[in-house]
Amino acid sequence: MIQNIIKLLKPDLIEVQKIIQQQTAQCDSALLKEILSHTFQVKGKLLRPILHLACAHLLEPKDKAPFYKIAAGLEILHTASLIHDDIIDDGELRRGVQTVHKKWGLAEATLLGDWLLSKAFSVITHNNPSDCNPIMSQLTCELVEGQYLEIEYNNRSSQNLEYLEEQYLKMIDLKTGSIFRAACNFAIACNNDFTPKQKEALNLYATDFGMIFQIVDDLIDFGGNSKKYGKTTGYDFLNGLITLPVMNAIKFEEKTLDNSPILNAFQKSDNEYLSQNLHSRVHQTDALKITIQSVENLKVKSLSHLEVFKDTMGKKILSDLITYTISRVPQEFYMESKLTTNESI
Ligand code: FPP
Ligand code: MG
């Protein structure tokens, strides 16, 4: 599925890859060079560059150079955020290879994230429309704030589920939705022909896409196989993170029992209980079905925002990106929730 999207954008992605390679080769330190080549040896899914390029193709631009630079910068920035995220989560595996802090150490990984962040700033803002500058500053602040909210959320004292869910949605919007929105807003900054309605529609689409992406990522963390997804999974609950599938299970327990054993275990940081029981308890509830249903609802909503655009390759890719993202949900969850893949995707 992503392969079909990549095929459509192949000439563009070749240019983007060239810029990433050029930009990540410019350094004097042999150690930094070595770590950069380890980091970029496996290509990511290039989802953020693809999102940006798809927006560019909504209204075919004359000059594609700014879009290529921004697409490259988005991938470099995303990589920076993952290097820092792996430090925070103490992940072992990223894109199928050992994480930088595990292989070289904390100082090296922190500095690599800093270097890539600065590089992304320069690629995105240098000689590009000046509207890119505030978008970039807002984006990097939001990414960091999203991580702060995650820390606060993990150290929460409130047991109020409504409050927790609100916090969770805000957190995933900042840590994940922000870069999706920025990918669209950079495209808007590079082409004056977007109407106010289209600008608003793209922001709404990107916000829904960010939610879908993170909820799917949470489902993968809950049940996905580390090898298949190329990154450490099963980590969230050990760090006290109540993701949407788990929250739905807690809601079910509160409805059917007087209190929630899962929530109690989170409150007491009882990782032994969680390691032994969380999976089976979640599977005993309708939590996975409800979580998948909310992803499906978001899909309908996100696609409805695209109605203001003419049928172009860009619009097709924006729609396919949602389908692709949902197709990453571990298939056994679909079976379990008694939705067949065809019905639901
Ligand atoms: C992955 O989340 C991480 C993010 C979406 C954002 C991380 C942002 C920071 C660490 C802030 C610092 C930012 C910069 C620009 C240096 P996840 O842990 O849910 O996903 P995973 O399963 O892929 O690890
Ligand atoms: Mg992580």
Side-chain angles (χ1 to χ4, degrees):
M1 171 96 209
I2 191 83
Q3 293 315 325
N4 293 340
I5 301 177
I6 289 175
K7 224 186 252 168
L8 289 174
L9 289 174
K10 197 159 181 204
D12 293 339
L13 288 171
I14 289 174
E15 296 306 315
V16 173
Q17 284 292 353
K18 268 190 217 157
I19 300 173
I20 296 176
Q21 267 155 20
Q22 278 161 8
Q23 292 293 330
T24 57
Q26 292 169 359
C27 69
D28 291 330
S29 155
L31 177 59
L32 178 55
K33 264 202 180 107
E34 183 190 343
I35 305 180
L36 281 167
S37 102
H38 168 88
T39 303
F40 287 95
Q41 68 183 298
V42 185
K43 266 195 283 168
K45 298 183 286 297
L46 299 175
L47 214 58
R48 291 140 192 92
I50 288 174
L51 173 58
H52 175 69
L53 293 168
C55 293
H57 281 284
L58 286 170
L59 312 173
E60 288 303 336
K62 279 174 219 90
D63 180 13
K64 288 192 182 164
F67 293 99
Y68 293 156
K69 278 167 50 192
I70 291 166
L74 281 165
E75 187 61 16
I76 295 172
L77 175 67
H78 173 57
T79 308
S81 76
L82 293 181
I83 303 281
H84 281 181
D85 179 69
D86 285 332
I87 296 173
I88 297 167
D89 290 355
D90 201 19
E92 307 237 351
L93 206 60
R94 176 66 69 182
R95 294 176 179 167
V97 297
Q98 201 177 9
T99 51
V100 175
H101 73 285
K102 285 286 179 197
K103 193 166 162 77
W104 278 278
L106 274 180
E108 288 82 349
T110 310
L111 290 169
L112 176 69
D114 294 345
W115 190 88
L116 289 171
L117 170 61
S118 308
K119 191 52 87 176
F121 247 105
S122 103
V123 181
I124 288 179
T125 60
H126 190 68
N127 279 344
N128 273 345
S130 61
D131 281 359
C132 292
N133 302 358
I135 298 171
M136 185 63 181
S137 312
Q138 184 179 344
L139 166 59
T140 44
C141 286
E142 286 188 352
L143 281 171
V144 174
E145 273 182 56
Q147 285 301 125
Y148 267 106
L149 283 187
E150 186 169 311
I151 293 171
E152 282 172 34
Y153 181 76
N154 290 353
N155 297 336
R156 73 205 157 265
S157 51
S158 166
Q159 293 244 27
N160 181 317
L161 278 184
E162 226 168 86
Y163 174 75
L164 279 185
E165 189 163 357
E166 205 179 290
Q167 289 291 97
Y168 168 84
L169 293 174
K170 178 81 193 151
M171 169 187 90
I172 69 174
D173 182 60
L174 288 178
K175 82 170 189 177
T176 307
S178 58
I179 195 161
F180 287 74
R181 261 192 308 277
C184 296
N185 281 321
F186 283 132
I188 291 170
C190 293
N191 191 332
N192 291 329
D193 292 339
F194 284 99
T195 65
K197 243 193 178 160
Q198 289 174 331
K199 290 180 192 175
E200 194 196 346
L202 269 186
N203 272 276
L204 294 170
Y205 161 87
T207 300
D208 289 341
F209 184 14
M211 293 278 174
I212 293 173
F213 185 87
Q214 190 58 47
I215 297 171
V216 169
D217 209 59
D218 291 345
L219 281 164
I220 290 172
D221 188 274
F222 179 74
N225 172 301
S226 256
K227 266 211 182 114
K228 177 170 172 201
Y229 293 97
K231 62 180 182 178
T232 305
T233 55
Y235 174 85
D236 287 342
F237 78 86
L238 288 176
N239 198 29
L241 190 62
I242 299 179
T243 57
L244 199 60
V246 177
M247 193 153 354
N248 287 332
I250 293 173
K251 281 186 188 164
F252 181 90
E253 285 189 335
E254 295 217 322
K255 245 192 299 165
T256 50
L257 310 168
D258 254 357
N259 65 16
S260 161
I262 298 178
L263 187 57
N264 289 343
F266 271 105
Q267 285 311 125
K268 289 189 231 134
S269 305
D270 187 349
N271 279 350
E272 202 184 319
Y273 175 90
L274 291 172
S275 300
Q276 283 169 13
N277 301 292
L278 182 68
H279 275 256
S280 58
R281 288 206 75 86
V282 170
H283 287 286
Q284 282 157 17
T285 70
D286 57 2
L288 294 173
K289 184 174 178 166
I290 290 176
T291 308
I292 289 174
Q293 199 52 56
S294 48
V295 169
E296 294 297 335
N297 294 342
L298 280 166
K299 174 182 178 176
V300 174
K301 198 156 138 288
S302 67
L303 296 183
S304 74
H305 300 309
L306 299 179
E307 283 163 13
V308 294
F309 294 103
K310 286 200 209 121
D311 287 334
T312 53
M313 180 175 95
K315 183 172 170 178
K316 178 172 169 27
I317 296 172
L318 291 181
S319 158
D320 288 352
L321 280 173
I322 303 283
T323 309
Y324 160 71
T325 300
I326 298 179
S327 76
R328 298 177 70 233
V329 172
Q331 287 306 296
E332 57 276 23
F333 290 176
Y334 268 100
M335 320 263 242
E336 194 175 316
S337 65
K338 297 204 177 62
L339 293 166
T340 67
T341 310
N342 287 342
E343 264 170 34
S344 49
I345 295 185

